[in-house]
């Protein structure tokens, strides 16, 4: 089992050992696009799975762990993650979560912080959260973006747009 490694701020890192052992769960945001992007990530050796649950329970699960003034998309993403972890479908000792982080003024920059607080409240502090960002906000030694991966992900997004428009 991969050793849990923390940075100087106390943030749990996604390590190279975890890349081999862990399944990375991804929330459903834009399903067609994310399915294509996750295929790119898989081609680089990661085990990733797109969460597909969409029941009313997701919002209720999110409300248990974040403030009710939190924007609804964040509430749904966090609820979907917590619901998946509680489902029994995944080994919670061999799972990581992935989420984008923009680094701008948008509220989406705060999703990662809200998610970590929710994981703490739910007793899942030991689950690493991988930030996908191009600005170097957070680094994880076991997950890295390179030019080829970013290029393929960008093409996936374009193909996703084409599929949606058709």
């Amino acid at each position: 089992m991969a050793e849990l490694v923390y940075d100087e701020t106390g943030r749990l890192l996604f390590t190279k050992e975890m890349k081999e052992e862990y399944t990375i769960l991804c929330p459903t945001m834009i399903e067609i696009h994310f399915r294509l992007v996750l295929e790119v990530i898989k081609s680089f050796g990661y085990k990733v799975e797109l969460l597909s649950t969409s029941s009313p329970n997701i919002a209720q699960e999110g409300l248990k762990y974040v403030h009710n003034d939190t924007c609804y998309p964040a509430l749904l993403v966090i609820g979907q993650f917590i619901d998946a972890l509680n489902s029994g479908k995944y080994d919670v000792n061999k799972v990581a979560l992935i989420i984008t982080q923009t680094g701008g003024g948008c509220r989406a920059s705060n999703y990662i912080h809200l998610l970590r607080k929710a994981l703490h409240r739910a007793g899942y502090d030991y689950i690493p959260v991988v930030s996908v960002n191009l600005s170097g906000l957070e680094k994880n030694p076991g997950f890295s973006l390179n030019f080829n991966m970013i290029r393929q992900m960008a093409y996936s997004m374009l193909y996703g747009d084409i599929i949606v428009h058709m």
Side-chain angles (χ1 to χ4, degrees):
M1 186 165 159
E3 179 183 353
L4 299 182
V5 178
Y6 297 86
D7 70 6
E8 62 280 350
T9 67
R11 182 176 63 87
L12 179 60
L13 301 176
F14 183 81
T15 64
K16 291 178 182 178
E17 294 168 330
M18 289 175 178
K19 179 181 178 181
E20 304 296 322
E21 299 176 14
Y22 279 52
T23 299
I24 302 172
L25 303 181
C26 180
T28 304
M29 290 179 166
I30 43 178
E31 186 173 358
I32 290 171
H33 296 73
F34 273 34
R35 285 191 186 284
L36 297 171
V37 168
L38 291 186
E39 289 303 317
V40 171
I41 295 172
K42 285 178 186 177
S43 75
F44 282 85
Y46 297 94
K47 295 180 230 169
V48 291
E49 185 175 325
L50 183 66
L51 298 175
S52 60
T53 49
S54 60
S55 71
N57 185 47
I58 301 279
Q60 294 306 313
E61 211 50 56
L63 279 170
K64 287 181 192 176
Y65 301 103
V66 296
H67 193 275
N68 65 352
D69 284 341
T70 300
C71 71
Y72 198 63
L75 186 80
L76 293 176
V77 165
I78 292 167
Q80 189 176 46
F81 277 137
I82 301 289
D83 182 68
L85 296 173
N86 289 338
S87 72
K89 181 178 177 184
Y90 304 99
D91 178 353
V92 294
N93 294 305
K94 298 273 186 173
V95 73
L97 309 178
I98 192 167
I99 194 160
T100 56
Q101 189 177 16
T102 61
C106 171
R107 63 183 177 229
S109 293
N110 297 318
Y111 282 22
I112 198 160
H113 174 71
L114 291 170
L115 176 56
R116 286 193 177 116
K117 282 178 72 172
L119 289 173
H120 174 72
R121 289 180 181 148
Y124 292 121
D125 295 75
Y126 56 89
I127 294 177
V129 178
V130 177
S131 166
V132 179
N133 67 78
L134 298 176
S135 56
L137 290 172
E138 289 188 2
K139 300 207 184 312
N140 285 287
F143 187 89
S144 60
L145 298 172
N146 60 45
F147 177 75
N148 194 29
M149 187 181 205
I150 294 168
R151 182 176 50 84
Q152 290 181 32
M153 290 167 87
Y155 286 144
S156 296
M157 297 300 277
L158 291 173
Y159 285 126
D161 283 348
I162 291 167
I163 291 169
V164 168
H165 285 11
M166 293 173 88

